[in-house]
Amino acid sequence: MAQRTAKELPARGAELSAGAPFHPRLGDLALDLAKGGRIGVVVALPSDSSASYQLRPPSGGEDWRASSDGTTLRPVPARPTHATPMQRDAIYDHRAQQAALPVTVHYEDGGTCDTLLVLTPGQVELYYAQLAKVIEAREAAREHAR
């Protein structure tokens, strides 16, 4: 599967931005910039009898309409499910006083994105202690299983 990058939801009150219009299909989730980034399920498409998309909150509620040209609509990005370390070394930048661990972020749609997990020295020490406990628990479980 092709890699994808994570997209951020627009901030509340985000201005409409130029970009390719999004033309969702029935049942798709769409983010409506004209409604402050509100997310809805497309329940009706523009047609001869309706000049707009009709959207409804995913959990139910009052419908609203979005322009038929799709300029205010954006696809809803897939949510990340977990991250896994990559088979590359972590690095420490003494000038920034932070460590960087290469990770792969996995999304619910099957997509992935390679990025860095950035940690402060305090976080490195905390995870060092926590991982040491996990290693001890794993070794104890192995001994118990024998």
Side-chain angles (χ1 to χ4, degrees):
M1 170 155 275
Q3 291 191 351
R4 63 185 293 282
T5 57
K7 297 176 186 163
E8 294 183 20
L9 295 176
R12 287 245 180 247
E15 296 297 319
L16 294 180
S17 62
F22 173 56
H23 298 286
R25 298 174 296 193
L26 279 177
D28 283 353
L29 285 176
L31 185 143
D32 191 350
L33 296 175
K35 295 290 185 180
R38 190 171 180 194
I39 294 174
V41 177
V42 177
V43 295
L45 300 174
S47 64
D48 293 338
S49 62
S50 174
S52 58
Y53 286 95
Q54 183 175 342
L55 294 98
R56 178 174 298 144
S59 57
E62 193 169 323
D63 293 4
W64 77 92
R65 299 206 173 267
S67 175
S68 64
D69 62 9
T71 55
T72 67
L73 300 178
R74 298 291 180 270
V76 175
R79 292 182 183 182
T81 58
H82 63 285
T84 55
M86 295 173 67
Q87 296 296 318
R88 296 189 5 220
D89 290 338
I91 58 170
Y92 182 75
D93 182 344
H94 70 280
R95 290 173 300 181
Q97 295 190 357
Q98 61 189 23
L101 175 67
V103 297
T104 300
V105 178
H106 301 264
Y107 296 89
E108 62 188 3
D109 68 356
T112 62
C113 175
D114 293 340
T115 190
L116 294 173
L117 174 62
V118 178
L119 303 166
T120 66
Q123 291 168 323
V124 170
E125 291 177 17
L126 173 67
Y127 293 128
Y128 176 79
Q130 290 179 349
L131 290 171
K133 289 180 183 179
V134 170
I135 291 169
E136 289 174 12
R138 178 176 173 238
E139 290 172 356
R142 279 184 172 171
E143 290 296 320
H144 183 68
R146 291 182 191 181

